[in-house]
Amino acid sequence: MLIPMVFMAIGTQAQKAYFIDGYHGGVYGHYPVGYTQFVVDELNKNKFWKINLEIEPETWDSVKVREPQALAGFQELFADQSLAGRIEYVSPAYGQSYFYNVSGESIIRHFHYGIKKVKSYFPTAVFTTYSSEEPCFTSALPQILNSFGYKYASLKNPNTCWGGYTRAFGGELVNWVGPDGSRITTVPRYGSEGLEPNSTWQTEGWTNSPKYISDALKSGIKNPVAMTFQDAGWRNGPWIGNGEKGYQPTEYKTWRDYFANHSIGKTDQDWHFSQEDMQVSLVWGSQVLQKIAQQVRVSENKIVMAEKMATLNKIYNNAPWPQEAIDEAWRGLMLSQHHDCWIVPYNGKRGNTWADKVVVWTDTTNRISDRIIASAAGTHVGLNKNADQWINVYNTTGNIKNELVSLNLPAGIDPQTISIVDDKNKEVPLQVSAQDQKVVYFKSAVPAMGYSQYKFDKKKTSKTAGAKASVLASGDIVLETDHYKLVLNKAKGGSIKSLIVKTLANKEFVDAKSERSFNELRGNFFDNGGFHSTTENPVTISIIENGPLVVTAQVKGELLSNPFTQTITLKQGDRKIECALEIDWKTNIGIGSDYKQHEKIDPKDYHKPFYDDSQKLLALFPVNFQSEKIYKDAPFDVTESKLENTFFSRWDSIKHNLMVTWVDLYDAKNDMGLALLSDQTTSYAHGKNFPLGLNVQYSGAGLWGRNHTITGPTKMRYALVPHAGKWDKAAISTEASTWNEPVLATLTNQPAKTQKSLIKASRKGYQYPSISIDGNDLFIRIFNAEGDDQPQKITLDGKASSAALVELNGDVKEELVISNQQGKTVLNVSMPRFGIRTIRLKDFSTH
């Protein structure tokens, strides 16, 4: 009887499983001195072991100084980048960003600068697979990864899910399809891969447990793989030992080896990965995270504007290209986008927490960007106040702008005796600020990616009709422009009583039947009697600008004895309703869900109070719509929401409720919408019988029970855009882009011969997130934000010897046919909606 049993045991081979081990962290997150030598020793001791790296690229600068011999040993082990090699660098992202919460151009730069830094220490490095220990993913990654030369990706983050996870979907491999149609072969979080019981930071794939592997095999996965990237600093060595732990047999692999040699290799299963498949959440609304998100947004806007201004300066004035300064500015921004800044902002020593670092990093970006812009605009040159003065107005977007300019008048110019004229000596509409007589507003018309010039002249006699404000007998304020008639309710906290949209057949947007008021602030003050609203008390409303170009009302009131000030601004010819809010909190006050706010919360508790946005302080916008559908932006994407509502309170039921720049509420029955723009990445609220809401404040327990307190005033900006049509027909993405990149006005003694425009597109829909110079070549990045896939004619103000579409890694994708017409370069480009293309124009010059 023994002989047959032995034979069966030998003849029956269990299906192999595979394990992806490696390290996550770096010099900013966690990478102790001596750790490189530890890894080298473990690799030399355990010849079966293979590792995958997600290490901050700047780490190697530190290792070079602290552990030069260990670095040399590690470089020797790293050198073999074949499928048989033992080390794969899976994420070279410079600042280890979450990606889903930052600009699309920032994502590209994380890879660009990160790969460059890694290759400076590991010249043979090959970037084949993208993988991360945190949920550092976003829907648009496939085309970015493909363009950098990646072949594969993983959507698993099974051992660090504090900030969320991707939706469980599919089998062994899927084709991750991005919004533009790009696809990349990907290991998903399997449909069979559940969340780990008794944990709020793991899925079952964090180790090769018999249950996880068995469930995968039963679901049809032939070659199951588990994964954990250990925190750099952990001293475990191989995570599952020499293979004796968990399911048997299990082998360590690099991701590239697994995909190429041990997986099924390819699949017919497509996954059109939506941003709502990112089931992620942070302590949105907490003051510390608000400030980080705002600081990052300011820097994101400034650095791309600075690059474009430097490009215009190089092309039109042959100024030196400030590459070193640009690199350092991007470095500060990328580090401030580090995921730890956003999830553990309080970690670190006093004065050197992640939140403190963000202030330093973004200040560096802003200072450098401001200097580049000043140099390009000529404001670094002293202005001769006794000579004639002109006004240069710059536009860094790819769209013609008709935008209001706010200008501080130089000394010696009396606003009551001057007018402003354009380059054809035609007077433009002008308004002297009622708040500051040295500030004037005037209407500019600026070509795409260029500038116009205006001049001070003697005062004309013409008068401009336009925006106006008035006070009703009730004390309510009426603001009126060519777009809107808006009424502010003095008795109900300055909320908007009526919003008539003149351009939509005088449609009333305010839902008068709603229990909530339009633009009221309301939230649960759990230590102060529950829900309170700004509508509970009357306010003081004053008119601080009264046309003809700008009208602004200022609301002053109290919310639970905490003073707040809100300004609502309308501009003639502008469809944005701009709001600025400041709440001067007298003390820290609890706002949000009251769940265990005064108890110690077990990290394993699925229920977390900061998840519940319905009880946070929200700005609410009940709209008079018959049907409601949500669209929201993401990096290089726009998502049509499939959620019934945005509300959840448990870790195992996270919903994607994020807006990077905007969210749009669309009434399909009446083909109109209301867009909400924000000055920060944050969360929004919406559901059946729950109006669209913007997260204004949370104060209470966060992750690991850390109290996220109010430490000072809350300041934020947002804007509302009523519109006809869906978001794309209404050009909401373009509206947000122009809001983020306002025109720049400077004074000069140098007259311009004519206005300049670097780029002209034949149709609308394209955006230009990056324009830069490399040597004598001009690089233009185009994003099809709202257009179709038909060719567009692009006309450039200058000559090029040739043009090509290039990949993000520099490879030539396609040579482009160009024609030079009267000193301009003309070419045709096409791409699908949400596509990204980079054009290199060799030897580009206007001279």
Side-chain angles (χ1 to χ4, degrees):
M1 295 295 293
L2 288 175
I3 292 175
M5 290 177 66
V6 172
F7 176 79
M8 287 175 62
I10 294 173
T12 303
Q13 178 105 27
Q15 172 62 47
K16 281 184 181 178
Y18 301 94
F19 194 81
I20 304 298
D21 202 353
Y23 291 102
H24 154 89
V27 66
Y28 294 105
H30 33 75
Y31 198 96
V33 176
Y35 200 67
T36 307
Q37 188 62 57
F38 168 77
V39 176
V40 168
D41 291 344
E42 289 294 313
L43 283 166
N44 287 329
K45 183 171 63 176
N46 302 288
K47 301 297 185 182
F48 57 84
W49 193 34
K50 296 184 176 183
I51 61 172
N52 302 264
L53 297 181
E54 184 189 22
I55 299 295
E56 299 158 11
E58 277 194 20
T59 302
W60 309 111
D61 293 337
S62 176
V63 172
K64 180 182 178 181
V65 174
R66 295 173 174 178
E67 301 180 80
Q69 291 183 331
L71 176 59
F74 193 73
Q75 288 169 322
E76 184 178 347
L77 289 165
F78 188 98
D80 182 1
Q81 291 289 283
S82 70
L83 294 177
R86 297 176 62 196
I87 305 174
E88 181 179 1
Y89 219 116
V90 293
S91 176
Y94 201 93
Q96 291 191 352
S97 170
Y98 277 128
F99 292 155
Y100 65 77
N101 58 329
V102 301
S103 70
E105 184 60 27
S106 293
I107 299 171
I108 291 173
R109 300 308 176 100
H110 277 280
F111 283 99
H112 169 79
Y113 284 104
I115 288 172
K116 183 178 179 181
K117 175 65 77 172
V118 170
K119 278 184 167 289
S120 71
Y121 286 97
F122 307 100
T124 62
V126 177
F127 300 95
T128 310
T129 313
Y130 176 73
S131 181
S132 177
E133 176 64 13
E134 305 261 358
C136 298
F137 312 114
T138 195
S139 56
L141 270 183
Q143 67 174 325
I144 295 173
L145 294 174
N146 288 341
S147 198
F148 275 108
Y150 282 80
K151 295 181 179 180
Y152 314 117
S154 164
L155 280 167
K156 293 180 182 290
N157 63 300
N159 200 34
T160 311
C161 303
W162 297 103
Y165 40 80
T166 58
R167 192 180 307 280
F169 178 89
E172 185 168 322
L173 298 178
V174 298
N175 298 313
W176 175 3
V177 183
D180 69 316
S182 296
R183 56 188 59 216
I184 189 167
T185 304
T186 300
V187 170
R189 176 187 155 207
Y190 300 148
S192 63
E193 184 178 340
L195 300 175
E196 182 76 2
N198 202 34
S199 171
T200 59
W201 63 91
Q202 294 165 310
T203 74
E204 293 176 329
W206 73 280
T207 189
N208 62 334
S209 70
K211 179 185 183 303
Y212 167 71
I213 300 298
S214 175
D215 287 348
L217 292 169
K218 288 177 183 176
S219 70
I221 295 170
K222 296 179 179 179
N223 306 286
V225 61
M227 166 192 160
T228 282
F229 291 168
Q230 304 177 54
D231 277 6
W234 291 0
R235 298 274 175 174
N236 300 291
W239 185 246
I240 56 169
N242 62 8
E244 81 282 3
K245 296 179 181 178
Y247 176 88
Q248 298 296 312
T250 299
E251 294 182 2
Y252 291 99
K253 296 295 176 186
T254 61
W255 268 125
R256 69 164 67 100
D257 183 20
Y258 170 78
F259 276 102
N261 294 327
H262 305 284
S263 74
I264 56 175
K266 58 182 180 180
T267 180
D268 294 327
Q269 186 173 29
D270 290 347
W271 189 10
H272 292 267
F273 186 86
S274 160
Q275 199 69 352
E276 288 190 344
D277 293 315
M278 292 288 301
Q279 295 178 273
V280 290
S281 184
L282 298 172
V283 191
W284 301 111
S286 69
Q287 204 167 71
V288 65
L289 191 52
Q290 280 181 328
K291 290 179 179 178
I292 288 170
Q294 288 172 323
Q295 289 156 358
V296 167
R297 177 62 48 78
V298 168
S299 293
E300 285 177 339
N301 296 338
K302 278 182 178 284
I303 181 55
V304 295
M305 293 177 72
E307 272 192 336
K308 294 173 187 178
M309 288 290 288
T311 299
L312 294 175
N313 199 23
K314 171 66 175 175
I315 288 173
Y316 291 119
N317 302 318
N318 199 28
W321 179 251
Q323 189 61 59
E324 288 186 8
I326 288 171
D327 292 344
E328 185 60 22
W330 273 108
R331 174 183 175 270
L333 173 58
M334 291 185 295
L335 292 177
S336 72
Q337 294 169 333
H338 194 294
H339 65 271
D340 278 337
C341 298
W342 298 66
I343 194 169
V344 286
Y346 292 118
N347 281 14
K349 296 179 180 179
R350 183 182 293 273
N352 195 33
T353 65
W354 283 103
D356 294 324
K357 288 183 172 77
V358 170
V359 173
V360 174
W361 287 330
T362 55
D363 280 354
T364 298
T365 300
N366 298 345
R367 185 175 63 254
I368 294 171
S369 298
D370 287 344
R371 189 168 66 240
I372 292 171
I373 290 170
S375 177
T379 54
H380 65 299
V381 179
L383 187 71
N384 185 348
K385 298 175 183 178
N386 297 317
D388 288 343
Q389 296 174 21
W390 285 263
I391 309 161
N392 285 342
V393 183
Y394 295 87
N395 172 14
T396 59
T397 75
N399 309 293
I400 297 171
K401 277 196 171 189
N402 295 289
E403 189 169 310
L404 209 62
V405 174
S406 175
L407 181 71
N408 290 305
L409 294 176
I413 292 184
D414 183 353
Q416 305 302 327
T417 63
I418 58 102
S419 64
I420 294 176
V421 297
D422 62 17
D423 58 354
K424 297 180 177 59
N425 209 38
K426 181 181 178 181
E427 184 181 11
V428 298
L430 178 72
Q431 174 182 332
V432 180
S433 171
Q435 299 179 81
D436 185 346
Q437 292 290 302
K438 287 298 182 181
V439 174
V440 295
Y441 305 103
F442 70 93
K443 195 63 175 285
S444 67
V446 194
M449 206 66 65
Y451 63 88
S452 294
Q453 191 171 75
Y454 297 83
K455 185 182 179 181
F456 295 112
D457 201 352
K458 293 180 181 178
K459 188 171 182 67
K460 311 287 185 182
T461 57
S462 62
K463 259 191 140 178
T464 304
K468 59 185 179 180
S470 59
V471 183
L472 300 179
S474 62
D476 293 349
I477 296 287
V478 180
L479 304 179
E480 192 164 1
T481 66
D482 53 344
H483 279 270
Y484 306 115
K485 182 177 182 180
L486 183 152
V487 181
L488 297 174
N489 193 332
K490 177 181 173 67
K492 284 199 168 185
S495 58
I496 297 174
K497 179 188 290 187
S498 174
L499 174 56
I500 301 293
V501 182
K502 298 179 181 180
T503 54
L504 292 176
N506 291 321
K507 164 74 174 179
E508 172 62 75
F509 264 56
V510 173
D511 182 3
K513 297 179 182 179
S514 174
E515 294 181 0
R516 306 270 59 87
S517 295
F518 197 97
N519 203 35
E520 76 166 295
L521 305 181
R522 182 178 185 268
N524 182 27
F525 295 78
F526 52 79
D527 287 330
N528 296 85
F531 280 89
H532 291 280
S533 166
T534 50
T535 62
E536 294 173 356
N537 300 301
V539 294
T540 300
I541 311 179
S542 55
I543 299 169
I544 59 175
E545 295 289 0
N546 196 355
L549 299 181
V550 185
V551 286
T552 300
Q554 184 182 73
V555 177
K556 284 184 172 291
E558 290 189 348
L559 178 59
L560 272 185
S561 301
N562 295 282
F564 74 88
T565 302
Q566 186 171 49
T567 59
I568 295 92
T569 299
L570 306 184
K571 300 172 183 175
Q572 186 76 356
D574 191 336
R575 60 179 180 165
K576 291 188 299 297
I577 301 167
E578 297 185 86
C579 304
L581 173 66
E582 179 173 354
I583 306 174
D584 188 13
W585 302 105
K586 292 182 176 179
T587 185
N588 179 46
I589 188 170
I591 307 173
S593 167
D594 63 357
Y595 180 77
K596 293 188 177 180
Q597 287 288 3
H598 300 294
E599 302 175 36
K600 184 177 181 180
I601 301 177
D602 187 337
K604 297 178 181 179
D605 190 338
Y606 274 26
H607 195 141
K608 300 186 189 301
F610 68 86
Y611 286 154
D612 188 355
D613 276 10
S614 70
Q615 301 189 59
K616 295 176 183 177
L617 185 65
L618 302 175
L620 297 170
F621 310 100
V623 189
N624 183 24
F625 284 172
Q626 290 183 276
S627 64
E628 295 186 347
K629 181 177 289 187
I630 288 286
Y631 294 88
K632 51 191 171 185
D633 80 322
F636 293 138
D637 192 10
V638 174
T639 297
E640 177 183 342
S641 180
K642 304 298 184 183
L643 300 175
E644 290 186 5
N645 60 62
T646 59
F647 307 124
F648 63 96
S649 59
R650 290 170 54 90
W651 177 78
D652 59 355
S653 55
I654 295 174
K655 298 178 183 180
H656 184 280
N657 60 353
L658 302 181
M659 55 185 291
V660 176
T661 303
W662 60 266
V663 62
D664 189 62
L665 184 65
Y666 177 61
D667 180 355
K669 287 185 178 179
N670 292 295
D671 192 29
M672 61 180 61
L674 177 72
L676 170 63
L677 281 55
S678 171
D679 68 349
Q680 61 192 280
T681 297
T682 188
S683 63
Y684 70 96
H686 182 257
K688 186 177 180 181
N689 299 320
F690 198 103
L692 178 65
L694 174 66
N695 189 348
V696 172
Q697 198 76 82
Y698 171 75
S699 177
L703 285 166
W704 304 283
R706 172 66 193 248
N707 196 17
H708 286 237
T709 59
I710 292 171
T711 59
T714 292
K715 299 178 182 181
M716 63 191 304
R717 295 185 307 115
Y718 57 93
L720 300 166
V721 185
H723 60 85
K726 280 176 59 177
W727 68 271
D728 49 355
K729 298 298 182 184
I732 295 304
S733 185
T734 296
E735 188 75 68
S737 173
T738 57
W739 194 53
N740 282 329
E741 293 186 50
V743 294
L744 301 168
T746 62
L747 295 170
T748 179
N749 296 125
Q750 300 298 319
K753 293 180 180 179
T754 182
Q755 66 179 18
K756 298 291 186 181
S757 179
L758 180 60
I759 294 175
K760 182 180 179 181
S762 60
R763 303 206 319 277
K764 296 180 179 180
Y766 282 5
Q767 294 176 11
Y768 304 85
S770 171
I771 298 183
S772 61
I773 301 289
D774 186 1
N776 295 320
D777 299 345
L778 173 66
F779 282 78
I780 300 174
R781 185 124 54 241
I782 305 175
F783 169 51
N784 186 356
E786 296 158 341
D788 56 28
D789 60 0
Q790 296 303 303
Q792 281 217 42
K793 182 173 76 172
I794 306 293
T795 303
L796 296 151
D797 187 23
K799 292 182 179 180
S801 61
S802 65
L805 289 178
V806 294
E807 301 287 10
L808 295 173
N809 64 2
D811 293 347
V812 174
K813 182 178 183 178
E814 177 187 348
E815 296 288 347
L816 297 175
V817 176
I818 63 171
S819 61
N820 289 311
Q821 303 174 9
Q822 298 179 331
K824 298 183 185 297
T825 299
V826 180
L827 52 85
N828 288 305
V829 178
S830 63
M831 69 191 82
R833 171 75 64 84
F834 305 129
I836 311 161
R837 299 292 184 269
T838 304
I839 301 173
R840 183 191 66 205
L841 295 116
K842 289 193 69 67
D843 304 317
F844 188 84
S845 174
T846 59
H847 306 290

